[in-house]
């Protein structure tokens, strides 16, 4: 739809302006996800903790592979 096309164009322009390539974008998204999971862990029910810890480990492993 038109909104999606406009948003993609804006993101592409911003990425070009900021010098963000595909690898950098992947790393930034992984770090964003990492912070989100860390915040979830702080208030998670005990039964969700192992799931979130596993997710956090996977995210960190993926991010380390990009460096």
């Amino acid at each position: 739809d038109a909104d999606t096309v406009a948003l993609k164009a804006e993101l592409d322009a911003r990425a070009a302006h900021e010098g963000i390539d595909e690898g950098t974008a992947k790393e930034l998204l992984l770090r964003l996800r990492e912070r989100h999971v860390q915040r979830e862990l702080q208030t998670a029910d005990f039964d969700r903790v192992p799931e979130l810890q596993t997710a956090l480990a996977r995210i960190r492993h993926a991010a380390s592979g990009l460096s």
Side-chain angles (χ1 to χ4, degrees), residues 20-33 59 62-63 66:
I20 299 173
D21 61 10
E22 185 177 349
T24 302
K26 286 180 182 180
E27 184 175 357
L28 290 170
L29 289 171
L30 283 168
R31 296 300 177 194
L32 183 64
R33 178 72 180 137
I59 292 166
L66 294 175

Side-chain angles (χ1 to χ4, degrees), residues 1-64:
D1 77 352
D3 288 338
T4 302
V5 171
L7 180 58
K8 184 176 182 333
E10 182 180 344
L11 288 173
D12 285 343
R14 178 165 284 189
H17 181 264
E18 299 291 331
I20 299 173
D21 61 10
E22 185 177 349
T24 302
K26 286 180 182 180
E27 184 175 357
L28 290 170
L29 289 171
L30 283 168
R31 296 300 177 194
L32 183 64
R33 178 72 180 137
E34 179 184 28
R35 288 193 304 272
H36 176 76
V37 172
Q38 286 174 329
R39 281 194 305 273
E40 278 190 78
L41 267 169
Q42 293 175 356
T43 60
D45 291 335
F46 184 73
D47 58 330
R48 271 208 69 198
V49 169
E51 171 192 347
L52 292 170
Q53 287 175 330
T54 299
L56 190 57
R58 286 183 183 149
I59 292 166
R60 286 178 175 163
H61 178 74
S64 71

